[in-house]
């Protein structure tokens, strides 16, 4: 008995230590500790931590009734993590040292897999409260927003984006608009970066407030913790002000409110529940069809070329002037950028003749030029080709499916469900419309150890946000429960008799 008690005590201590390290890992990822070099170090820590987390993941998988067939559905996600690290673009990016390139690419893929395993494992750790997991994420984001936000206010002032909307300054003979930048904490240095890049943590933090929909303020003190996170995030966005981020966060709150209402309707009976599930299933497939149709239209228009393009001659994209020249609208400029990326990936032009690039179509382009659009998915096409992009789409839609499954069927408390789905939606929308992979303005001291950068390219695939997204993917994942076999049930009844 004493021996069993000692073993149990040892297991509990191990779980506490591993759980504490997992919380530290998440908090440091959200804080962006150590800049680019620090992130590489955190990937190594994450891989080492995954070795200790494997037993907890295995126990959780068995507990949820998982079988080997359920792991097949994770193959596209695993291949997506692999494509995040290895691609034609990134192998040529590290062409100066192939050994260093392979190690760095391997660390990126292994780090994402480790973060995904962490997300799934924390559900199987009895000694680690799930509230602490998201408290660590919130605290990491809050500390980063507080430090960078206060420094931006000191340097620029309150409402500087509005007040200095027409003000510019010169640095080495280059013009920089004040209203399009903010201060970020990069390692242990403050740098100037684009507003879209700098305010991502504030948007994510503001969406913590959706968890309040699952709490009663009179009975649950956690309500005020989530409210505080949300207020801090919104305060940073409003004092800037960053309109795009505010609108995106409000959309997440509206979506959470709709999900709250749908869940309320589904609890009114089996018929209502069936209608809600049917409606959500239809909406999911409509979204898939819409994305597929939009992609087909963009690719087809790119193949036709500028002279035969039908999109560029549409009135809502381009308007014909008095000189018979087309002027692009704001939407038209976005579509033009996307088509330029697709064209640079699928085609090569020599001596004015455009030819199809089969290797580029499949595996992406080489790192001879960097395209920086506000759509992370289309940047991914340029860097990984259609093979990687197809895997990414499969993983995204599978993640959306699992997130809805988690929201309606998970045993988590309601506030956690709202936080997880809200943050996942905010992350997806932000890097689908406000991505910036070359955000640094007139960077200096690039050789600082904790603020070192190999280039001005800060790709989403190699960011702390990709690690956080992998964590959420692992957290919402659950295998399909296996129904008990009739024969086994009959045998059990005979035994009881």
């Amino acid at each position: 008995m004493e021996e069993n008690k000692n073993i149990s005590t040892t297991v509990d201590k191990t779980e506490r230590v591993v759980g504490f390290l997992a919380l530290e890992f998440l908090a440091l990822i959200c804080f962006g500790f150590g800049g680019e070099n620090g992130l590489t170090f955190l990937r190594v820590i994450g891989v080492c931590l995954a070795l200790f987390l494997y037993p907890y993941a295995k126990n959780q998988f068995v507990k949820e009734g998982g079988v080997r067939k359920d792991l097949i559905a994770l193959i596209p996600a695993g291949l997506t993590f692999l494509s995040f690290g290895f691609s034609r673009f990134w192998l040529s990016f590290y062409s100066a040292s192939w050994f260093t390139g392979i190690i760095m690419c391997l660390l990126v893929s292994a780090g994402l897999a480790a973060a995904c395993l962490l997300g799934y494992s924390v559900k199987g750790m009895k000694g680690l409260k799930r509230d602490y997991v998201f408290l660590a994420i919130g605290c990491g984001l809050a500390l980063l927003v507080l430090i960078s936000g206060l420094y931006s206010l000191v340097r620029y002032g309150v409402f500087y984006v509005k007040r200095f909307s027409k003000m510019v300054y010169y640095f080495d003979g280059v013009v920089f608009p004040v209203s399009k930048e903010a201060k970020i904490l990069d390692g242990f240095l403050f740098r100037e970066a684009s507003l879209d890049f700098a305010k991502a943590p504030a948007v994510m933090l503001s969406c913590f407030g959706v968890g309040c929909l699952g709490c009663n303020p009179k009975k649950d003190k956690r309500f005020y913790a989530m409210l505080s996170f949300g207020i801090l995030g919104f305060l940073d966005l409003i004092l800037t002000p960053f309109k795009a981020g505010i609108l995106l966060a409000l959309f997440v709150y509206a979506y959470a409110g709709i999900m709250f209402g749908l869940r309320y309707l589904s609890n009114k009976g089996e018929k209502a529940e069936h209608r809600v599930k049917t409606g959500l299933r239809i909406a999911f497939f409509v979204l898939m069809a819409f994305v597929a149709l939009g992609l087909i239209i963009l690719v087809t228009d790119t193949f036709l070329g500028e002279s035969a393009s039908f999109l560029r001659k549409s009135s809502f994209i381009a308007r014909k002037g008095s000189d018979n020249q087309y002027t692009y609208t704001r939407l038209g400029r976005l579509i033009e950028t996307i088509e330029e990326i697709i064209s640079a990936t699928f085609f090569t032009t020599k001596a004015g003749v455009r030819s199809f690039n089969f290797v580029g179509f499949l595996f992406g382009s080489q790192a001879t030029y960097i395209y920086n659009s506000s759509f992370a998915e289309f940047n991914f096409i340029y860097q990984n080709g259609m093979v990687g992009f197809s895997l990414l789409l499969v993983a995204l839609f599978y993640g959306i499916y699992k997130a809805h499954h988690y929201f309606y069927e998970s045993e988590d408390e309601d506030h956690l469900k709202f936080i997880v789905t809200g943050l996942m939606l905010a992350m997806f929308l932000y890097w689908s419309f406000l991505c910036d992979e070359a955000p640094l303005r007139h960077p200096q001291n690039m050789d600082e150890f904790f603020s070192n950068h190999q280039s001005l390219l800060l790709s989403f695939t190699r960011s702390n946000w990709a690690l956080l997204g992998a964590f959420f993917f692992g957290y919402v994942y659950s295998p399909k429960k296996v129904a008990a076999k009739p024969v086994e049930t009959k045998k059990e009844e005979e035994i009881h008799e």
Side-chain angles (χ1 to χ4, degrees):
M1 291 291 292
E2 291 182 0
E3 185 177 351
N4 292 335
K5 186 177 181 180
N6 291 334
I7 293 173
S8 178
T9 304
T10 304
V11 172
D12 291 340
K13 289 182 178 178
T14 303
E15 186 173 333
R16 289 177 183 177
V17 172
V18 174
F20 175 76
L21 291 175
L23 295 180
E24 288 292 318
F25 178 73
L26 284 173
L28 291 175
I29 281 178
C30 294
F31 183 70
F33 177 78
E36 193 169 330
N37 281 349
L39 191 59
T40 302
F41 177 73
L42 286 175
R43 290 192 185 101
V44 176
I45 296 297
V47 172
C48 296
L49 189 60
L51 299 176
F52 294 97
L53 291 170
Y54 176 75
Y56 301 103
K58 185 178 180 181
N59 292 338
Q60 182 66 16
F61 189 73
V62 173
K63 179 183 176 182
E64 292 180 341
V67 294
R68 289 185 178 180
K69 291 182 179 180
D70 294 316
L71 297 175
I72 296 176
L74 290 177
I75 292 177
L79 292 175
T80 303
F81 295 156
L82 190 64
S83 68
F84 268 49
F86 291 89
S87 71
R88 187 183 179 211
F89 180 91
W90 289 110
L91 289 175
S92 63
F93 184 84
Y94 297 108
S95 59
S97 174
W98 64 268
F99 179 76
T100 302
I102 291 176
I103 295 298
M104 294 299 293
C105 292
L106 183 62
L107 273 179
V108 170
S109 297
L112 291 169
C116 183
L117 184 66
L118 170 62
Y120 188 72
S121 301
V122 294
K123 297 187 292 183
M125 302 176 71
K126 296 180 181 179
L128 181 63
K129 292 184 178 180
R130 300 184 188 182
D131 281 317
Y132 293 159
V133 174
F134 295 96
L135 182 63
I137 294 175
C139 288
L141 290 173
L143 186 60
L144 179 60
V145 169
L146 190 62
I147 293 174
S148 57
L150 285 176
Y151 188 71
S152 289
L153 289 177
V154 170
R155 294 302 302 269
Y156 298 115
V158 181
F159 307 124
Y160 72 90
V161 169
K162 190 69 176 177
R163 290 166 52 213
F164 305 140
S165 59
K166 297 181 180 179
M167 183 177 291
V168 299
Y169 65 94
Y170 293 85
F171 188 90
D172 287 344
V174 181
V175 180
F176 293 94
V178 177
S179 60
K180 293 185 179 180
E181 70 176 34
K183 300 291 184 180
I184 62 167
L185 183 62
D186 181 25
F188 295 106
L189 292 177
F190 284 104
R191 296 191 192 276
E192 294 79 15
S194 68
L195 202 61
D196 289 346
F197 183 87
K199 293 306 174 183
V203 172
M204 293 293 293
L205 186 65
S206 65
C207 292
F208 257 87
V210 298
C212 295
L213 292 173
C215 272
N216 188 339
K218 296 181 179 179
K219 299 179 180 180
D220 199 336
K221 294 181 179 179
R222 293 172 295 186
F223 176 91
Y224 299 101
M226 293 178 290
L227 184 63
S228 300
F229 284 145
I231 289 175
L232 178 60
F234 270 114
L235 195 62
D236 184 73
L237 295 175
I238 293 171
L239 292 178
T240 302
F242 183 44
K243 293 181 181 179
I246 295 172
L247 291 174
L248 191 149
L250 291 177
F251 180 85
V252 172
Y253 276 81
Y255 175 83
I258 293 172
M259 296 302 294
F260 181 84
L262 291 177
R263 194 184 61 175
Y264 175 78
L265 291 175
S266 64
N267 291 332
K268 287 190 172 184
E270 292 184 1
K271 290 184 178 179
E273 183 180 3
H274 177 71
R275 289 174 182 174
V276 170
K277 287 185 176 180
T278 302
L280 288 174
R281 192 177 294 113
I282 292 172
F284 178 73
F285 286 110
V286 168
L287 177 63
M288 289 181 64
F290 179 77
V291 171
L293 180 62
L295 185 62
I296 291 172
I297 291 174
L298 286 170
V299 171
T300 303
D301 194 64
T302 304
F303 268 88
L304 292 175
E306 186 175 358
S307 58
S309 170
F310 58 88
L311 277 181
R312 302 188 188 193
K313 296 177 182 178
S314 303
S315 59
F316 62 93
I317 292 176
R319 293 169 185 170
K320 194 173 184 179
S322 56
D323 55 353
N324 293 327
Q325 297 294 323
Y326 286 96
T327 304
Y328 291 111
T329 62
R330 188 173 182 179
L331 177 61
R333 288 193 295 270
L334 293 176
I335 292 177
E336 182 188 22
T337 302
I338 293 172
E339 291 193 2
E340 284 181 359
I341 293 174
I342 297 174
S343 180
T345 308
F346 294 177
F347 300 98
T348 55
T349 304
K350 293 182 180 180
V353 179
R354 191 173 71 156
S355 59
F356 183 71
N357 186 350
F358 187 71
V359 177
F361 172 78
L362 291 178
F363 306 111
S365 188
Q366 291 185 332
T368 54
Y369 186 81
I370 295 174
Y371 277 94
N372 179 33
S373 75
S374 56
F375 309 97
E377 293 87 354
F378 290 102
N379 294 339
F380 195 80
I381 283 184
Y382 182 74
Q383 297 170 8
N384 296 78
M386 284 303 295
V387 173
F389 181 71
S390 300
L391 289 169
L392 177 64
L393 286 183
V394 172
L396 282 175
F397 281 111
Y398 188 68
I400 293 172
Y401 168 75
K402 283 299 179 182
H404 278 274
H405 179 80
Y406 161 81
F407 185 83
Y408 283 99
E409 300 184 17
S410 172
E411 295 178 356
D412 273 359
E413 295 182 74
D414 289 344
H415 67 283
L416 293 179
K417 294 180 179 180
F418 280 108
I419 289 175
V420 173
T421 53
L423 291 181
M424 289 184 72
L425 178 62
M427 182 176 293
F428 171 72
L429 291 177
Y430 199 95
W431 277 273
S432 294
F433 297 101
L434 298 175
C435 178
D436 190 352
E437 296 189 347
L440 300 182
R441 302 291 189 256
H442 48 80
Q444 294 178 311
N445 300 324
M446 296 287 284
D447 55 347
E448 292 285 338
F449 180 76
F450 284 108
S451 302
N452 180 52
H453 294 277
Q454 294 182 348
S455 75
L456 297 180
L457 176 64
L458 301 180
S459 175
F460 172 77
T461 59
R462 277 153 165 71
S463 68
N464 56 330
W465 302 110
L467 289 171
L468 188 61
F471 168 81
F472 284 132
F473 185 92
Y475 189 84
V476 300
Y477 172 78
S478 62
K480 294 180 179 179
K481 294 183 179 180
V482 181
K485 295 180 181 180
V487 179
E488 293 178 357
T489 305
K490 187 176 181 181
K491 286 183 178 180
E492 289 179 1
E493 291 174 356
E494 290 176 355
I495 290 171
H496 287 297
E497 288 178 358

